[in-house]
Amino acid sequence: MLLAMPTMTLAALDDLAIQRARAGDLDALERIYRAYEGTVYNLARRICRTAEDAEDVLQETFFEVCRSIAGFRGSGPGNLTAWIKRVASSKALMKIRREKYRETDELFEDGDAVARRDPDVALTMDLEQALARLPDRSRAVVWMHDVEGYTHEDIAEMMGMTVSFSKSQLARAHARLRTWLGEEHQ
Amino acid sequence: MTQHCTIEELLAVRDGEGAGTALRHGDQCLACRAELDRLHQVAAALRALPVQRPPRDRWPEVRAVAAGARRRRWIATGWVLLAAAAALAVVVGVRGWWPSGGQMAGQRANLDSLVSASQQLEEALRTLDPTSRVLSGRAASTIAELEDGIALVDAQLGEAQRTGASRDDLLRLWQQRVQLMNQLVNVHVTRAAYVGL
């Protein structure tokens, strides 16, 4: 699994800090918070629709981390990253389920699946807007799969859906992104 | 395979899970190969999007809850010891320290009922599971203040037990503890009702 490691994490944390955090040391917990707040917020912000919801996810994630770190059995920052990201992903998915965000799947029909666009479009220019425009579950799947590196099996488990659901959401998301990004540059 | 690959098939190829027919078609079809390149580019562009940073520092709220949980663990442990010590003092009694007759029975009943009330409030707090809820900075600060007060009373109760303080002092401390616990539970009940959980 590809999990993007925040660069400051490795430098800021060591096994000793993790052990101290497990024992409830508040300074060590703050070091963990500082090392991961950006990673967690960014993940939450990409999945949730609003900045306020992403902030709530950030807070809920670290409540959970502080509550459960005593039972965290991994060692080293790599395992800690995977664990914290998993907690954050679950909280963000819970948030979009709880908030009953708009599900606009029916509003956007997939374009012709074999229509082709120029691959050299300036993707980054409008990708942010296109990503935000996706239905919530599609956006969550595309981010978790293509950026965070979760497998369809992982995503299905976290969303409480099937592997086929995850695959079809990813395909629909990419079909829409292709259409929208193409439209922007025609 | 004479038809173009679907996006789902191309995504499977991109992720190293493609079926043989899709792989073969992708090798031969320029359009599908271009689409596959585009899917790689989109994934790369998504990973290259700028990292978004939280607009506000949430550590004070997280810290308040983490510190509260730590205090509660300590209080729970200390409370069991204190309750046991109080119960022992009530059962055994100490001549010269405990008065006799009706007054002693009345005070013992008072102490028993205070210990019992404190126990019920601890249980109510556990049931509410306050750590599972998001707190505002103000609520977190009120809670931290109450928990500090309880920790202080517990420390005084421990000292009172150790030094054999008067029964009036013990009653007063247990009354304070029940009062603070009651306020703490009320804060959490109000919060739970407010957010509809």
Side-chain angles (χ1 to χ4, degrees), chain B residues 105-193:
Chain B
Q107 288 189 330
R108 182 188 301 165
N110 274 344
L111 199 59
D112 281 347
S113 63
L114 286 169
V115 171
S116 171
S118 184
Q119 192 171 16
Q120 285 169 16
L121 288 164
E122 291 279 2
E123 188 52 41
L125 201 59
R126 263 192 293 276
T127 309
L128 282 167
D129 189 16
T131 54
S132 65
R133 225 163 273 124
V134 178
L135 290 171
S136 68
R138 182 179 291 183
S141 154
T142 305
I143 288 164
E145 215 168 280
L146 288 168
E147 287 176 341
D148 284 344
I150 292 167
L152 184 65
V153 171
D154 284 348
Q156 289 172 336
L157 271 168
E159 184 64 12
Q161 293 286 351
R162 198 180 62 77
T163 57
S166 75
R167 197 164 14 157
D168 285 345
D169 284 345
L170 278 178
L171 281 170
R172 182 180 50 76
L173 288 170
W174 276 103
Q175 276 165 351
Q176 280 179 17
R177 188 176 206 283
V178 168
Q179 207 171 12
L180 289 167
M181 280 297 301
N182 201 30
Q183 288 172 20
L184 186 60
V185 169
N186 280 339
V187 171
H188 286 299
V189 167
T190 308
R191 284 270 321 144

Side-chain angles (χ1 to χ4, degrees), chain A residues 5-37:
Chain A
M5 168 77 72
T7 49
M8 65 177 290
T9 305
L10 284 172
L13 291 175
D14 51 29
D15 281 344
L16 184 62
I18 297 170
Q19 278 174 19
R20 285 174 51 214
R22 274 195 197 122
D25 182 309
L26 290 174
D27 290 338
L29 285 169
E30 183 173 6
R31 282 178 67 188
I32 289 177
Y33 177 88
R34 297 292 171 212
Y36 287 100
E37 63 176 327

